[in-house]
Amino acid sequence: PYSPPVEEGSGARPCSPKFFGRDAMVCVCSAAYCDAVEPVVLPGAGGFVTYESSKAGKRLQRSEGDLPAQPEYVLLTLDVSARFQRLKGFGGSLSDAAALNIVALPQPAQEELLRSYFSDSGIEYNLIRVPMGCSDFSTRPYSYDDVPDDFELRHFALAEEDLEMKIPLLRRAIAMAKRPLSIYGSPWTAPAWMKSNGDIRGKGTLKGRAGGKYHRAWANYFVRFLDEYAKHNITFWAVTAQNEPIAALFAHPLFPTVAFTAEQQRDFVVRDLGPVLQRSPHSARLLIMDDQRIHLPGWARAVRPRGCRGMGTAAPVRPSGAELEVAAALCVPAGSASPSLCTSVSPCLCVPA
């Protein structure tokens, strides 16, 4: 006979709910108490496990039950051989605002909060996005090289936000995670002297054109960022070419950003960023678009080069070194053309839909 689910209590701590009206509720996490979940354990044959969250205050509350020997109503058949898009994982952004709020907590509360995100007693985030410099979640506009016309980046240096907050928090998250964390960097803005509007904030493009000294310096800026974090034993899985490149065209005057069209980003990657990453000692992948889903599939069509070898093949052609890939947001619907990118330093990368 069917056995209804039984709520588990061993090893888990329930949510301590706080309500804000209009169905808004959060789980309170403090130095004294923070909710936790049990490590995921598969049930035995004939059993099932459910995780329930609710407006009433449940958060990933685990229950177990037994399936009937002879189903009376619905038979579900799972074909594990049918595979679709691969899911890289789940995570969040370690912005300046997030870091400021975490380090403002008492040390025990910081530990509880980080455990709730990254440990096996929490939700086990495995992706962390790190802004390369300031973002719209920063308390001030800044870059890593604000010295005008420093094309050789001799004055490049990480900011206090990196050294005093983000890097220490990343190291703590890495230490408590049971599985490797995939960290990727995303730039919001270039230094003011590289931008057409002469300001870190507001709508502006990179000066010049792909292959020119400003684009080349901006590409080298990515590698210097990876270099400096590597000195603190932080390795990046990937970088994105630009945070919300199209949204930058409609940005608020105080929003730090650089605008790109798909064609401009393609040319920057092909002539500058791709070759620079390829020559660097880093294995970070390069993700394109990094913007709203509404820009699909147009962005992928613009980036797709003419005569790309490997289109239509079952497996992508992988260049060595820095791989040019499509960001998670750039998921191509079944039946449409696969996005791809050819460069002068790698033969072709074709990502199947």
Side-chain angles (χ1 to χ4, degrees):
Y2 168 74
S3 297
V6 178
E7 294 182 357
E8 296 289 305
S10 175
R13 288 179 289 178
C15 170
S16 175
K18 184 174 182 178
F19 297 91
F20 292 89
R22 296 186 180 179
D23 295 327
M25 188 277 291
V26 298
C27 298
V28 177
C29 183
S30 68
Y33 182 87
C34 197
D35 55 294
V37 297
E38 293 180 278
V40 176
V41 177
L42 295 178
F48 67 90
V49 171
T50 64
Y51 289 87
E52 181 183 0
S53 296
S54 70
K55 292 180 180 179
K58 291 183 178 181
R59 282 295 181 268
L60 297 175
Q61 187 162 302
R62 189 176 189 269
S63 302
E64 289 190 1
D66 294 319
L67 295 169
Q70 295 181 346
E72 299 176 8
Y73 303 105
V74 179
L75 175 64
L76 299 178
T77 302
L78 178 64
D79 183 0
V80 296
S81 66
R83 301 295 179 93
F84 298 93
Q85 292 171 345
R86 293 171 58 189
L87 188 65
K88 177 64 180 176
F90 296 89
S93 179
L94 186 59
S95 63
D96 292 353
L100 278 166
N101 279 284
I102 295 172
V103 300
L105 296 171
Q107 190 72 18
Q110 292 182 33
E111 289 297 308
E112 290 281 13
L113 181 62
L114 291 173
R115 272 197 293 268
S116 73
Y117 279 113
F118 300 106
S119 78
D120 60 359
S121 64
I123 56 177
E124 293 192 271
Y125 269 6
N126 69 326
L127 287 172
I128 305 180
R129 188 186 199 206
V130 179
M132 293 169 52
C134 76
S135 72
D136 53 319
F137 288 93
S138 296
T139 59
R140 65 186 181 97
Y142 67 91
S143 80
Y144 298 134
D145 193 340
D146 292 322
V147 178
D149 300 328
D150 183 18
F151 292 101
E152 300 301 319
L153 303 179
R154 292 189 176 94
H155 298 278
F156 186 101
L158 295 179
E160 60 180 339
E161 286 85 349
D162 298 273
L163 299 173
E164 297 178 11
M165 297 191 301
K166 290 188 282 191
I167 289 175
L169 288 172
L170 283 171
R171 292 172 65 93
R172 289 165 66 184
I174 292 169
M176 65 177 56
K178 297 296 184 182
R179 295 178 293 175
L181 298 180
S182 294
I183 305 170
Y184 65 103
S186 296
W188 262 246
T189 184
W193 56 271
M194 292 188 190
K195 290 180 59 181
S196 60
N197 66 338
D199 195 331
I200 282 177
R201 299 161 299 185
K203 182 171 63 178
T205 61
L206 287 179
K207 291 180 179 178
R209 60 182 60 187
K213 60 182 181 180
Y214 290 98
H215 285 66
R216 192 161 50 248
W218 182 228
N220 287 325
Y221 189 102
F222 281 69
V223 175
R224 287 298 306 275
F225 171 79
L226 298 174
D227 289 343
E228 294 303 314
Y229 264 76
K231 294 176 182 178
H232 298 273
N233 296 317
I234 305 293
T235 300
F236 280 76
W237 162 70
V239 292
T240 77
Q242 173 62 40
N243 170 71
E244 296 185 314
I246 290 296
L249 294 171
F250 313 99
H252 186 278
L254 297 181
F255 192 95
T257 187
V258 178
F260 281 94
T261 65
E263 292 79 8
Q264 288 170 335
Q265 187 174 96
R266 174 197 64 202
D267 295 345
F268 170 57
V269 168
V270 169
R271 301 197 63 181
D272 302 289
L273 187 55
V276 164
L277 287 174
Q278 186 78 16
R279 292 192 298 266
S280 81
H282 306 288
S283 59
R285 302 182 179 195
L286 177 57
L287 312 182
I288 65 171
M289 197 176 91
D290 193 6
D291 210 319
Q292 309 301 321
R293 190 175 175 84
I294 193 173
H295 302 305
L296 293 175
W299 193 279
R301 288 172 177 162
V303 171
R304 177 184 177 183
R306 293 184 298 272
C308 174
R309 288 180 286 119
M311 290 301 295
T313 58
V317 181
R318 301 282 188 183
S320 59
E323 294 183 299
L324 305 177
E325 292 200 348
V326 177
L330 196 55
C331 298
V332 179
S336 65
S338 300
S340 57
L341 189 63
C342 295
T343 75
S344 58
V345 294
S346 59
C348 189
L349 174 69
C350 301
V351 182

